[in-house]
Amino acid sequence: MTRAEAMNRIAAQLAGLPDDRIEALAELAESWGKPTVYSTLPVGEKVEIDAALDDLDRGEGVPLDVVRKKLRQKLEASNP
């Protein structure tokens, strides 16, 4: 679907939506229009993140359950 097609589909539904849903859509569109954390990072940090994600895609890295366990331990140790 093209951008124009998507916008036309949305526009076709707007008149039939109740006010609270229109307001929710407006808030959603506004929040999606704001910069993301990733988009505000320096290029070097984006490169590092992208490389790390590529590593994970290849099955490299630490399993999530191990990361969670270590993170939980660190959080518990920092909160006596």
Side-chain angles (χ1 to χ4, degrees), residues 48-68:
E48 289 180 24
I49 290 170
D50 292 345
L53 291 172
D54 290 343
D55 290 346
L56 292 173
D57 287 343
R58 288 190 301 273
E60 301 170 7
V62 180
L64 182 57
D65 59 331
V66 174
V67 173
R68 282 186 181 147

Side-chain angles (χ1 to χ4, degrees), residues 31-51:
S31 70
W32 282 357
K34 294 179 181 175
T36 64
V37 171
Y38 182 83
S39 73
T40 62
L41 294 174
V43 173
E45 289 185 32
K46 289 180 184 179
V47 168
E48 289 180 24
I49 290 170
D50 292 345

Side-chain angles (χ1 to χ4, degrees), residues 1-79:
M1 172 182 324
T2 67
R3 178 182 177 91
E5 291 169 335
M7 291 174 70
N8 287 336
R9 283 181 61 188
I10 293 167
Q13 298 299 316
L14 290 177
L17 294 177
D19 289 346
D20 63 326
R21 296 236 172 147
I22 295 291
E23 291 170 17
L25 280 172
E27 290 171 8
L28 179 64
E30 183 178 339
S31 70
W32 282 357
K34 294 179 181 175
T36 64
V37 171
Y38 182 83
S39 73
T40 62
L41 294 174
V43 173
E45 289 185 32
K46 289 180 184 179
V47 168
E48 289 180 24
I49 290 170
D50 292 345
L53 291 172
D54 290 343
D55 290 346
L56 292 173
D57 287 343
R58 288 190 301 273
E60 301 170 7
V62 180
L64 182 57
D65 59 331
V66 174
V67 173
R68 282 186 181 147
K69 181 180 177 183
K70 289 183 178 184
L71 182 57
R72 190 175 302 114
Q73 290 170 343
K74 286 182 182 269
L75 290 171
E76 289 171 0
S78 69
N79 292 319

